Amino acid sequence: MSSSSTALGTSASSLSVPAGPGPELEALAEAVARRRNFAIISHPDAGKTTLTEKLLLYGGAIQQAGAVKAKGEQRKVTSDWMELEKQRGISITSTVLQFDYSGSTINLLDTPGHQDFSEDTYRTLAAADNAVMLEDAAKGLEPQTRKLFEVCRMRQIPIFTFINKMDRPGREPLELLDEIEQELGLACWPVNWPIGSGDRFRGVIDRRTREVILFQRAERGRASAEKVLGVDAARSSGAVEPELLEAALEELELLEGAGNELDLELVHAGELSPVFFGSAMTNFGVRPFLDAFLELAQKPIARASSAGAIEPVAPGFSGFVFKLQANMDPRHRDRVAFVRVCSGRFEKDMAVQHARTGRTIRLSRPQKLFGQDREVVEDAYPGDVIGLNNPGMFAIGDTLYVGPKLEYEGIPCFSPEIFAWLRNPNPSAFKSFRKGVNELREEGAVQILYDTDESKRDPILAAVGQLQLEVVQYRLENEYGVKTRLEPLGFAVARWVVGGWPALEAVGRIFNCKTVRDAWNRPVLLFKNDWNLNQLREDHPELELSGVAPVVSGVEPISL
Ligand code: G4P
């Protein structure tokens, strides 16, 4: 989804709500005002699983779902369910976790924990209205976080920063903020400020109330019993060493003098990040984070469509598919399309229009998914995500709507970094091979490229990580009964040619790259490394290249 689709504030022009809203529209407006949704972006091991669990604890959801990451057990959260995940002990797929807290309904769009699956994360970010950037206090910005940040920046969504693991020795807080400001160009506004760190971490000072929240380790699986004191009481009670408290207060003074001001418009434009310090493992700082997040986060926003910006409170239901997932329950061999509700109230058994095909579809079994558990939903509101059974009808980016025709901008393809021929050694299995490749591409499990030489008909798999390719092979074998072979191509960078084939032909012969076609017959250049890419840029500055493929609408992709 391009920046234009999400940068729209609620004041943007929109399909108007009829004058004098009736009770139904009032209920819709109330449901929208109550909703917040976000995705967490982080580098593996920063503590996303731990923070997710703690957040769910506040919504009472963990008990409902009956899943807690037990000590010593393989990494496993409620959102882990695929066989491969279980075997490898990793979190690949993403689902949505919904919980109520303090009068709000929060949708946490869970993203894959493994960096090889960031393509799925990119798409999930297209459905999120806010992002939480989680950092390890000892490590600061890490590669995966930087990449995901770029996608948030493209969409201009608000970014909240949680600096985790304060109970362990870490880097200086001011240095961590400076890194974010300098390297990401993202201004920071600390909502709270740490007192000490590591063994001498004593808590945080709430910047607005000037209250000290004392650090206490909560028992595993428990919400922490917080002790909150005024600064003077903290000083006189001896709860905090005076030198640590004074140092923290001095730094706060420094921030007040030279730092940024809290400006909600800048926060919502993704230019100013509220920053929190805490320790997810000990459940410290999670409650203050959640409270401030509810106050400062963006509500479900208006989104650009072919019919103009659509406000969430527009009466007709509309939404778009941002993720497809096959075989969530191997007993049923089912496929699920995840739809982000953008406007109106969604109701079970609703008949909706499918914009791409023009068909009317009755949605009789919409689901809410919580890890392995499902329940049929009766209704859903903007900001929510619903799971629909998908008998092969839905593709990533598809719009569903009720009322006047509209189509949301699609979700772009992001630059893959690893490429391999996919060989089918058994010609008699070609039909299954073709079906599997086409369906997995449609689902967005992997991007498919083709050689420009028509005699080389095998597809090229293009992915963000090796594991993504392994999952494709695994699923082809388990779901389609085809054993395949991968033959790596030695490329690491892909760029789309913005002007298409005419632009490419205009520059004549080019070197040190391979030209391939994507599923929409657009030229893609593959390079061994950034150096070769830069070389081409220097040789042909007129050739415009992009790491994100523009969205194609209304054209069917090439099938194998
Ligand atoms: P991820 O999903 O981002 O990959 O990270 P995850 O939550 O699994 O956390 C990675 C490791 O960091 C875990 O340790 C976790 O316990 C630890 N961790 C998370 N938050 C904090 C924190 O605030 N403070 C400290 N000290 N550690 C934290 P592990 O040894 O890999 O797993 P486990 O033995 O704890 O299960």
PDB file of all heavy atoms in Angstrom, residues 74-75 80-93 114 116-117 327 330 466-475 478-479:
ATOM      1  N   GLN A  74      10.432 -25.408  24.005  1.00  0.00           N
ATOM      2  CA  GLN A  74      10.826 -24.771  22.750  1.00  0.00           C
ATOM      3  C   GLN A  74      10.009 -23.506  22.571  1.00  0.00           C
ATOM      4  O   GLN A  74       8.871 -23.426  23.050  1.00  0.00           O
ATOM      5  CB  GLN A  74      10.502 -25.703  21.577  1.00  0.00           C
ATOM      6  CG  GLN A  74      11.578 -26.703  21.294  1.00  0.00           C
ATOM      7  CD  GLN A  74      12.690 -26.082  20.463  1.00  0.00           C
ATOM      8  OE1 GLN A  74      13.125 -24.959  20.738  1.00  0.00           O
ATOM      9  NE2 GLN A  74      13.170 -26.793  19.486  1.00  0.00           N
ATOM     10  N   ARG A  75      10.574 -22.540  21.854  1.00  0.00           N
ATOM     11  CA  ARG A  75       9.838 -21.301  21.633  1.00  0.00           C
ATOM     12  C   ARG A  75       8.462 -21.609  21.029  1.00  0.00           C
ATOM     13  O   ARG A  75       8.332 -22.256  20.030  1.00  0.00           O
ATOM     14  CB  ARG A  75      10.636 -20.437  20.655  1.00  0.00           C
ATOM     15  CG  ARG A  75       9.931 -19.173  20.299  1.00  0.00           C
ATOM     16  CD  ARG A  75      10.932 -18.235  19.714  1.00  0.00           C
ATOM     17  NE  ARG A  75      12.047 -18.080  20.615  1.00  0.00           N
ATOM     18  CZ  ARG A  75      13.166 -17.462  20.308  1.00  0.00           C
ATOM     19  NH1 ARG A  75      13.305 -16.957  19.143  1.00  0.00           N
ATOM     20  NH2 ARG A  75      14.135 -17.352  21.179  1.00  0.00           N
ATOM     21  N   ASP A  80       1.971 -19.944  17.040  1.00  0.00           N
ATOM     22  CA  ASP A  80       2.755 -20.987  16.367  1.00  0.00           C
ATOM     23  C   ASP A  80       1.891 -22.206  16.114  1.00  0.00           C
ATOM     24  O   ASP A  80       1.353 -22.774  17.034  1.00  0.00           O
ATOM     25  CB  ASP A  80       3.904 -21.449  17.265  1.00  0.00           C
ATOM     26  CG  ASP A  80       5.028 -20.466  17.273  1.00  0.00           C
ATOM     27  OD1 ASP A  80       4.848 -19.348  16.777  1.00  0.00           O
ATOM     28  OD2 ASP A  80       6.085 -20.816  17.786  1.00  0.00           O
ATOM     29  N   TRP A  81       1.761 -22.612  14.878  1.00  0.00           N
ATOM     30  CA  TRP A  81       0.964 -23.819  14.690  1.00  0.00           C
ATOM     31  C   TRP A  81       1.393 -24.713  13.553  1.00  0.00           C
ATOM     32  O   TRP A  81       1.097 -25.875  13.518  1.00  0.00           O
ATOM     33  CB  TRP A  81      -0.530 -23.494  14.579  1.00  0.00           C
ATOM     34  CG  TRP A  81      -0.818 -22.314  13.698  1.00  0.00           C
ATOM     35  CD1 TRP A  81      -1.147 -21.057  14.127  1.00  0.00           C
ATOM     36  CD2 TRP A  81      -0.769 -22.250  12.287  1.00  0.00           C
ATOM     37  NE1 TRP A  81      -1.300 -20.235  13.058  1.00  0.00           N
ATOM     38  CE2 TRP A  81      -1.085 -20.927  11.922  1.00  0.00           C
ATOM     39  CE3 TRP A  81      -0.480 -23.173  11.285  1.00  0.00           C
ATOM     40  CZ2 TRP A  81      -1.125 -20.502  10.611  1.00  0.00           C
ATOM     41  CZ3 TRP A  81      -0.520 -22.747   9.968  1.00  0.00           C
ATOM     42  CH2 TRP A  81      -0.838 -21.436   9.650  1.00  0.00           C
ATOM     43  N   MET A  82       2.126 -24.184  12.614  1.00  0.00           N
ATOM     44  CA  MET A  82       2.445 -25.052  11.488  1.00  0.00           C
ATOM     45  C   MET A  82       3.409 -26.162  11.880  1.00  0.00           C
ATOM     46  O   MET A  82       4.266 -25.985  12.725  1.00  0.00           O
ATOM     47  CB  MET A  82       3.041 -24.224  10.360  1.00  0.00           C
ATOM     48  CG  MET A  82       2.072 -24.028   9.221  1.00  0.00           C
ATOM     49  SD  MET A  82       2.742 -22.925   8.000  1.00  0.00           S
ATOM     50  CE  MET A  82       3.845 -24.019   7.135  1.00  0.00           C
ATOM     51  N   GLU A  83       3.250 -27.274  11.219  1.00  0.00           N
ATOM     52  CA  GLU A  83       4.087 -28.433  11.526  1.00  0.00           C
ATOM     53  C   GLU A  83       5.569 -28.063  11.472  1.00  0.00           C
ATOM     54  O   GLU A  83       6.345 -28.380  12.371  1.00  0.00           O
ATOM     55  CB  GLU A  83       3.771 -29.534  10.510  1.00  0.00           C
ATOM     56  CG  GLU A  83       4.409 -30.871  10.798  1.00  0.00           C
ATOM     57  CD  GLU A  83       4.079 -31.396  12.181  1.00  0.00           C
ATOM     58  OE1 GLU A  83       2.975 -31.101  12.705  1.00  0.00           O
ATOM     59  OE2 GLU A  83       4.931 -32.082  12.751  1.00  0.00           O
ATOM     60  N   LEU A  84       5.916 -27.335  10.441  1.00  0.00           N
ATOM     61  CA  LEU A  84       7.321 -26.977  10.284  1.00  0.00           C
ATOM     62  C   LEU A  84       7.792 -26.102  11.450  1.00  0.00           C
ATOM     63  O   LEU A  84       8.909 -26.225  11.918  1.00  0.00           O
ATOM     64  CB  LEU A  84       7.523 -26.243   8.964  1.00  0.00           C
ATOM     65  CG  LEU A  84       8.978 -26.141   8.516  1.00  0.00           C
ATOM     66  CD1 LEU A  84       9.484 -27.486   8.041  1.00  0.00           C
ATOM     67  CD2 LEU A  84       9.122 -25.109   7.415  1.00  0.00           C
ATOM     68  N   GLU A  85       6.910 -25.251  11.880  1.00  0.00           N
ATOM     69  CA  GLU A  85       7.269 -24.400  13.007  1.00  0.00           C
ATOM     70  C   GLU A  85       7.538 -25.252  14.225  1.00  0.00           C
ATOM     71  O   GLU A  85       8.465 -25.014  14.973  1.00  0.00           O
ATOM     72  CB  GLU A  85       6.126 -23.441  13.330  1.00  0.00           C
ATOM     73  CG  GLU A  85       5.922 -22.364  12.307  1.00  0.00           C
ATOM     74  CD  GLU A  85       4.801 -21.453  12.710  1.00  0.00           C
ATOM     75  OE1 GLU A  85       3.715 -21.966  13.003  1.00  0.00           O
ATOM     76  OE2 GLU A  85       5.018 -20.244  12.752  1.00  0.00           O
ATOM     77  N   LYS A  86       6.677 -26.233  14.415  1.00  0.00           N
ATOM     78  CA  LYS A  86       6.842 -27.090  15.590  1.00  0.00           C
ATOM     79  C   LYS A  86       8.162 -27.829  15.495  1.00  0.00           C
ATOM     80  O   LYS A  86       8.911 -27.919  16.445  1.00  0.00           O
ATOM     81  CB  LYS A  86       5.684 -28.086  15.680  1.00  0.00           C
ATOM     82  CG  LYS A  86       4.408 -27.442  16.183  1.00  0.00           C
ATOM     83  CD  LYS A  86       3.361 -28.515  16.421  1.00  0.00           C
ATOM     84  CE  LYS A  86       1.985 -27.966  16.137  1.00  0.00           C
ATOM     85  NZ  LYS A  86       1.100 -28.957  15.551  1.00  0.00           N
ATOM     86  N   GLN A  87       8.447 -28.339  14.281  1.00  0.00           N
ATOM     87  CA  GLN A  87       9.691 -29.090  14.120  1.00  0.00           C
ATOM     88  C   GLN A  87      10.909 -28.226  14.374  1.00  0.00           C
ATOM     89  O   GLN A  87      11.873 -28.646  14.976  1.00  0.00           O
ATOM     90  CB  GLN A  87       9.784 -29.635  12.697  1.00  0.00           C
ATOM     91  CG  GLN A  87       8.880 -30.808  12.453  1.00  0.00           C
ATOM     92  CD  GLN A  87       8.919 -31.200  10.982  1.00  0.00           C
ATOM     93  OE1 GLN A  87       9.764 -30.743  10.218  1.00  0.00           O
ATOM     94  NE2 GLN A  87       7.994 -32.048  10.597  1.00  0.00           N
ATOM     95  N   ARG A  88      10.851 -27.008  13.862  1.00  0.00           N
ATOM     96  CA  ARG A  88      12.029 -26.154  13.949  1.00  0.00           C
ATOM     97  C   ARG A  88      12.003 -25.250  15.168  1.00  0.00           C
ATOM     98  O   ARG A  88      12.993 -24.579  15.444  1.00  0.00           O
ATOM     99  CB  ARG A  88      12.147 -25.285  12.690  1.00  0.00           C
ATOM    100  CG  ARG A  88      12.112 -26.074  11.385  1.00  0.00           C
ATOM    101  CD  ARG A  88      13.405 -26.787  11.112  1.00  0.00           C
ATOM    102  NE  ARG A  88      14.411 -25.845  10.672  1.00  0.00           N
ATOM    103  CZ  ARG A  88      14.611 -25.502   9.412  1.00  0.00           C
ATOM    104  NH1 ARG A  88      13.925 -25.999   8.475  1.00  0.00           N
ATOM    105  NH2 ARG A  88      15.539 -24.652   9.089  1.00  0.00           N
ATOM    106  N   GLY A  89      10.881 -25.211  15.853  1.00  0.00           N
ATOM    107  CA  GLY A  89      10.804 -24.366  17.047  1.00  0.00           C
ATOM    108  C   GLY A  89      10.909 -22.892  16.727  1.00  0.00           C
ATOM    109  O   GLY A  89      11.518 -22.107  17.438  1.00  0.00           O
ATOM    110  N   ILE A  90      10.343 -22.509  15.598  1.00  0.00           N
ATOM    111  CA  ILE A  90      10.394 -21.098  15.234  1.00  0.00           C
ATOM    112  C   ILE A  90       8.997 -20.607  14.931  1.00  0.00           C
ATOM    113  O   ILE A  90       8.083 -21.401  14.745  1.00  0.00           O
ATOM    114  CB  ILE A  90      11.271 -20.850  13.992  1.00  0.00           C
ATOM    115  CG1 ILE A  90      10.837 -21.831  12.898  1.00  0.00           C
ATOM    116  CG2 ILE A  90      12.729 -20.969  14.335  1.00  0.00           C
ATOM    117  CD1 ILE A  90      11.471 -21.554  11.591  1.00  0.00           C
ATOM    118  N   SER A  91       8.860 -19.320  14.865  1.00  0.00           N
ATOM    119  CA  SER A  91       7.561 -18.753  14.561  1.00  0.00           C
ATOM    120  C   SER A  91       7.599 -18.185  13.153  1.00  0.00           C
ATOM    121  O   SER A  91       8.319 -17.243  12.871  1.00  0.00           O
ATOM    122  CB  SER A  91       7.279 -17.652  15.575  1.00  0.00           C
ATOM    123  OG  SER A  91       6.175 -16.911  15.170  1.00  0.00           O
ATOM    124  N   ILE A  92       6.867 -18.794  12.241  1.00  0.00           N
ATOM    125  CA  ILE A  92       6.942 -18.384  10.847  1.00  0.00           C
ATOM    126  C   ILE A  92       5.732 -17.562  10.441  1.00  0.00           C
ATOM    127  O   ILE A  92       5.843 -16.531   9.802  1.00  0.00           O
ATOM    128  CB  ILE A  92       6.990 -19.615   9.913  1.00  0.00           C
ATOM    129  CG1 ILE A  92       8.243 -20.427  10.182  1.00  0.00           C
ATOM    130  CG2 ILE A  92       6.946 -19.184   8.460  1.00  0.00           C
ATOM    131  CD1 ILE A  92       8.263 -21.746   9.477  1.00  0.00           C
ATOM    132  N   THR A  93       4.586 -18.045  10.782  1.00  0.00           N
ATOM    133  CA  THR A  93       3.382 -17.436  10.257  1.00  0.00           C
ATOM    134  C   THR A  93       2.866 -16.356  11.189  1.00  0.00           C
ATOM    135  O   THR A  93       3.238 -16.301  12.336  1.00  0.00           O
ATOM    136  CB  THR A  93       2.309 -18.506  10.122  1.00  0.00           C
ATOM    137  OG1 THR A  93       2.308 -19.234  11.318  1.00  0.00           O
ATOM    138  CG2 THR A  93       2.579 -19.410   8.968  1.00  0.00           C
ATOM    139  N   HIS A 114      10.651 -15.101  12.520  1.00  0.00           N
ATOM    140  CA  HIS A 114      11.882 -15.411  11.821  1.00  0.00           C
ATOM    141  C   HIS A 114      12.165 -14.408  10.717  1.00  0.00           C
ATOM    142  O   HIS A 114      11.287 -14.066   9.954  1.00  0.00           O
ATOM    143  CB  HIS A 114      11.791 -16.821  11.237  1.00  0.00           C
ATOM    144  CG  HIS A 114      13.130 -17.400  10.949  1.00  0.00           C
ATOM    145  ND1 HIS A 114      13.852 -17.014   9.853  1.00  0.00           N
ATOM    146  CD2 HIS A 114      13.884 -18.282  11.624  1.00  0.00           C
ATOM    147  CE1 HIS A 114      14.999 -17.673   9.853  1.00  0.00           C
ATOM    148  NE2 HIS A 114      15.042 -18.442  10.925  1.00  0.00           N
ATOM    149  N   ASP A 116      13.610 -14.653   7.978  1.00  0.00           N
ATOM    150  CA  ASP A 116      13.434 -15.126   6.606  1.00  0.00           C
ATOM    151  C   ASP A 116      12.023 -14.872   6.103  1.00  0.00           C
ATOM    152  O   ASP A 116      11.743 -15.034   4.934  1.00  0.00           O
ATOM    153  CB  ASP A 116      13.712 -16.625   6.515  1.00  0.00           C
ATOM    154  CG  ASP A 116      15.201 -16.908   6.438  1.00  0.00           C
ATOM    155  OD1 ASP A 116      15.971 -15.953   6.569  1.00  0.00           O
ATOM    156  OD2 ASP A 116      15.570 -18.069   6.258  1.00  0.00           O
ATOM    157  N   PHE A 117      11.125 -14.502   6.985  1.00  0.00           N
ATOM    158  CA  PHE A 117       9.739 -14.317   6.578  1.00  0.00           C
ATOM    159  C   PHE A 117       9.313 -12.871   6.572  1.00  0.00           C
ATOM    160  O   PHE A 117       8.142 -12.552   6.683  1.00  0.00           O
ATOM    161  CB  PHE A 117       8.821 -15.185   7.437  1.00  0.00           C
ATOM    162  CG  PHE A 117       8.997 -16.599   7.042  1.00  0.00           C
ATOM    163  CD1 PHE A 117      10.001 -17.350   7.589  1.00  0.00           C
ATOM    164  CD2 PHE A 117       8.230 -17.127   6.026  1.00  0.00           C
ATOM    165  CE1 PHE A 117      10.232 -18.637   7.152  1.00  0.00           C
ATOM    166  CE2 PHE A 117       8.446 -18.411   5.580  1.00  0.00           C
ATOM    167  CZ  PHE A 117       9.450 -19.176   6.147  1.00  0.00           C
ATOM    168  N   ASN A 327      -3.880 -24.372   4.686  1.00  0.00           N
ATOM    169  CA  ASN A 327      -3.770 -25.511   5.599  1.00  0.00           C
ATOM    170  C   ASN A 327      -3.424 -25.137   7.025  1.00  0.00           C
ATOM    171  O   ASN A 327      -2.483 -25.656   7.613  1.00  0.00           O
ATOM    172  CB  ASN A 327      -2.730 -26.504   5.079  1.00  0.00           C
ATOM    173  CG  ASN A 327      -3.134 -27.002   3.709  1.00  0.00           C
ATOM    174  OD1 ASN A 327      -4.311 -26.922   3.331  1.00  0.00           O
ATOM    175  ND2 ASN A 327      -2.179 -27.475   2.967  1.00  0.00           N
ATOM    176  N   PRO A 330      -4.413 -28.929   9.363  1.00  0.00           N
ATOM    177  CA  PRO A 330      -4.123 -29.968   8.385  1.00  0.00           C
ATOM    178  C   PRO A 330      -5.264 -30.988   8.251  1.00  0.00           C
ATOM    179  O   PRO A 330      -5.397 -31.634   7.228  1.00  0.00           O
ATOM    180  CB  PRO A 330      -2.864 -30.645   8.922  1.00  0.00           C
ATOM    181  CG  PRO A 330      -2.464 -29.929  10.151  1.00  0.00           C
ATOM    182  CD  PRO A 330      -3.474 -28.871  10.467  1.00  0.00           C
ATOM    183  N   GLN A 466      16.209 -18.006   3.082  1.00  0.00           N
ATOM    184  CA  GLN A 466      16.330 -19.411   2.705  1.00  0.00           C
ATOM    185  C   GLN A 466      15.165 -20.244   3.234  1.00  0.00           C
ATOM    186  O   GLN A 466      14.629 -21.116   2.549  1.00  0.00           O
ATOM    187  CB  GLN A 466      17.666 -19.957   3.246  1.00  0.00           C
ATOM    188  CG  GLN A 466      17.982 -21.381   2.873  1.00  0.00           C
ATOM    189  CD  GLN A 466      18.126 -21.576   1.356  1.00  0.00           C
ATOM    190  OE1 GLN A 466      18.607 -20.682   0.649  1.00  0.00           O
ATOM    191  NE2 GLN A 466      17.687 -22.719   0.860  1.00  0.00           N
ATOM    192  N   LEU A 467      14.767 -19.968   4.455  1.00  0.00           N
ATOM    193  CA  LEU A 467      13.724 -20.762   5.087  1.00  0.00           C
ATOM    194  C   LEU A 467      12.396 -20.661   4.311  1.00  0.00           C
ATOM    195  O   LEU A 467      11.622 -21.610   4.251  1.00  0.00           O
ATOM    196  CB  LEU A 467      13.543 -20.269   6.518  1.00  0.00           C
ATOM    197  CG  LEU A 467      12.885 -21.218   7.499  1.00  0.00           C
ATOM    198  CD1 LEU A 467      13.564 -22.561   7.525  1.00  0.00           C
ATOM    199  CD2 LEU A 467      12.891 -20.583   8.882  1.00  0.00           C
ATOM    200  N   GLN A 468      12.181 -19.501   3.721  1.00  0.00           N
ATOM    201  CA  GLN A 468      10.961 -19.297   2.923  1.00  0.00           C
ATOM    202  C   GLN A 468      10.948 -20.306   1.766  1.00  0.00           C
ATOM    203  O   GLN A 468       9.904 -20.876   1.455  1.00  0.00           O
ATOM    204  CB  GLN A 468      10.984 -17.861   2.390  1.00  0.00           C
ATOM    205  CG  GLN A 468       9.626 -17.290   2.064  1.00  0.00           C
ATOM    206  CD  GLN A 468       9.739 -15.854   1.547  1.00  0.00           C
ATOM    207  OE1 GLN A 468      10.720 -15.151   1.846  1.00  0.00           O
ATOM    208  NE2 GLN A 468       8.773 -15.432   0.768  1.00  0.00           N
ATOM    209  N   LEU A 469      12.126 -20.529   1.159  1.00  0.00           N
ATOM    210  CA  LEU A 469      12.215 -21.499   0.073  1.00  0.00           C
ATOM    211  C   LEU A 469      11.986 -22.910   0.592  1.00  0.00           C
ATOM    212  O   LEU A 469      11.311 -23.724  -0.036  1.00  0.00           O
ATOM    213  CB  LEU A 469      13.594 -21.425  -0.603  1.00  0.00           C
ATOM    214  CG  LEU A 469      13.986 -20.099  -1.246  1.00  0.00           C
ATOM    215  CD1 LEU A 469      15.304 -20.249  -1.997  1.00  0.00           C
ATOM    216  CD2 LEU A 469      12.900 -19.629  -2.209  1.00  0.00           C
ATOM    217  N   GLU A 470      12.528 -23.195   1.750  1.00  0.00           N
ATOM    218  CA  GLU A 470      12.348 -24.528   2.326  1.00  0.00           C
ATOM    219  C   GLU A 470      10.885 -24.807   2.613  1.00  0.00           C
ATOM    220  O   GLU A 470      10.409 -25.919   2.430  1.00  0.00           O
ATOM    221  CB  GLU A 470      13.158 -24.664   3.619  1.00  0.00           C
ATOM    222  CG  GLU A 470      14.640 -24.852   3.347  1.00  0.00           C
ATOM    223  CD  GLU A 470      15.443 -24.886   4.628  1.00  0.00           C
ATOM    224  OE1 GLU A 470      14.912 -25.351   5.649  1.00  0.00           O
ATOM    225  OE2 GLU A 470      16.602 -24.439   4.593  1.00  0.00           O
ATOM    226  N   VAL A 471      10.175 -23.783   3.065  1.00  0.00           N
ATOM    227  CA  VAL A 471       8.757 -23.971   3.365  1.00  0.00           C
ATOM    228  C   VAL A 471       7.998 -24.275   2.075  1.00  0.00           C
ATOM    229  O   VAL A 471       7.129 -25.145   2.043  1.00  0.00           O
ATOM    230  CB  VAL A 471       8.162 -22.734   4.082  1.00  0.00           C
ATOM    231  CG1 VAL A 471       6.650 -22.808   4.126  1.00  0.00           C
ATOM    232  CG2 VAL A 471       8.696 -22.645   5.494  1.00  0.00           C
ATOM    233  N   VAL A 472       8.358 -23.591   0.982  1.00  0.00           N
ATOM    234  CA  VAL A 472       7.691 -23.839  -0.296  1.00  0.00           C
ATOM    235  C   VAL A 472       7.916 -25.295  -0.717  1.00  0.00           C
ATOM    236  O   VAL A 472       6.975 -26.011  -1.067  1.00  0.00           O
ATOM    237  CB  VAL A 472       8.197 -22.862  -1.379  1.00  0.00           C
ATOM    238  CG1 VAL A 472       7.740 -23.286  -2.767  1.00  0.00           C
ATOM    239  CG2 VAL A 472       7.697 -21.452  -1.080  1.00  0.00           C
ATOM    240  N   GLN A 473       9.149 -25.740  -0.618  1.00  0.00           N
ATOM    241  CA  GLN A 473       9.449 -27.135  -0.987  1.00  0.00           C
ATOM    242  C   GLN A 473       8.693 -28.111  -0.097  1.00  0.00           C
ATOM    243  O   GLN A 473       8.119 -29.085  -0.562  1.00  0.00           O
ATOM    244  CB  GLN A 473      10.949 -27.392  -0.811  1.00  0.00           C
ATOM    245  CG  GLN A 473      11.742 -27.100  -2.048  1.00  0.00           C
ATOM    246  CD  GLN A 473      13.109 -27.737  -1.940  1.00  0.00           C
ATOM    247  OE1 GLN A 473      13.841 -27.470  -0.996  1.00  0.00           O
ATOM    248  NE2 GLN A 473      13.460 -28.576  -2.906  1.00  0.00           N
ATOM    249  N   TYR A 474       8.690 -27.814   1.190  1.00  0.00           N
ATOM    250  CA  TYR A 474       8.018 -28.676   2.164  1.00  0.00           C
ATOM    251  C   TYR A 474       6.527 -28.760   1.860  1.00  0.00           C
ATOM    252  O   TYR A 474       5.925 -29.823   1.871  1.00  0.00           O
ATOM    253  CB  TYR A 474       8.260 -28.077   3.553  1.00  0.00           C
ATOM    254  CG  TYR A 474       7.557 -28.781   4.691  1.00  0.00           C
ATOM    255  CD1 TYR A 474       8.189 -29.801   5.400  1.00  0.00           C
ATOM    256  CD2 TYR A 474       6.278 -28.401   5.072  1.00  0.00           C
ATOM    257  CE1 TYR A 474       7.547 -30.441   6.446  1.00  0.00           C
ATOM    258  CE2 TYR A 474       5.624 -29.027   6.123  1.00  0.00           C
ATOM    259  CZ  TYR A 474       6.260 -30.048   6.811  1.00  0.00           C
ATOM    260  OH  TYR A 474       5.620 -30.668   7.840  1.00  0.00           O
ATOM    261  N   ARG A 475       5.950 -27.605   1.557  1.00  0.00           N
ATOM    262  CA  ARG A 475       4.510 -27.597   1.296  1.00  0.00           C
ATOM    263  C   ARG A 475       4.175 -28.250  -0.046  1.00  0.00           C
ATOM    264  O   ARG A 475       3.149 -28.909  -0.183  1.00  0.00           O
ATOM    265  CB  ARG A 475       3.982 -26.158   1.363  1.00  0.00           C
ATOM    266  CG  ARG A 475       3.996 -25.654   2.801  1.00  0.00           C
ATOM    267  CD  ARG A 475       3.386 -24.304   2.940  1.00  0.00           C
ATOM    268  NE  ARG A 475       2.027 -24.256   2.400  1.00  0.00           N
ATOM    269  CZ  ARG A 475       1.334 -23.126   2.270  1.00  0.00           C
ATOM    270  NH1 ARG A 475       1.865 -21.983   2.635  1.00  0.00           N
ATOM    271  NH2 ARG A 475       0.118 -23.155   1.791  1.00  0.00           N
ATOM    272  N   ASN A 478       4.203 -31.887   0.864  1.00  0.00           N
ATOM    273  CA  ASN A 478       3.171 -32.334   1.798  1.00  0.00           C
ATOM    274  C   ASN A 478       1.756 -32.047   1.344  1.00  0.00           C
ATOM    275  O   ASN A 478       0.847 -32.799   1.670  1.00  0.00           O
ATOM    276  CB  ASN A 478       3.401 -31.707   3.164  1.00  0.00           C
ATOM    277  CG  ASN A 478       4.502 -32.433   3.885  1.00  0.00           C
ATOM    278  OD1 ASN A 478       4.263 -33.450   4.504  1.00  0.00           O
ATOM    279  ND2 ASN A 478       5.718 -31.942   3.735  1.00  0.00           N
ATOM    280  N   GLU A 479       1.582 -30.961   0.627  1.00  0.00           N
ATOM    281  CA  GLU A 479       0.216 -30.600   0.238  1.00  0.00           C
ATOM    282  C   GLU A 479      -0.095 -30.959  -1.213  1.00  0.00           C
ATOM    283  O   GLU A 479      -1.250 -31.122  -1.565  1.00  0.00           O
ATOM    284  CB  GLU A 479       0.005 -29.088   0.448  1.00  0.00           C
ATOM    285  CG  GLU A 479       0.074 -28.706   1.919  1.00  0.00           C
ATOM    286  CD  GLU A 479       0.212 -27.204   2.117  1.00  0.00           C
ATOM    287  OE1 GLU A 479      -0.239 -26.437   1.248  1.00  0.00           O
ATOM    288  OE2 GLU A 479       0.788 -26.807   3.151  1.00  0.00           O
TER     289      GLU A 479
END
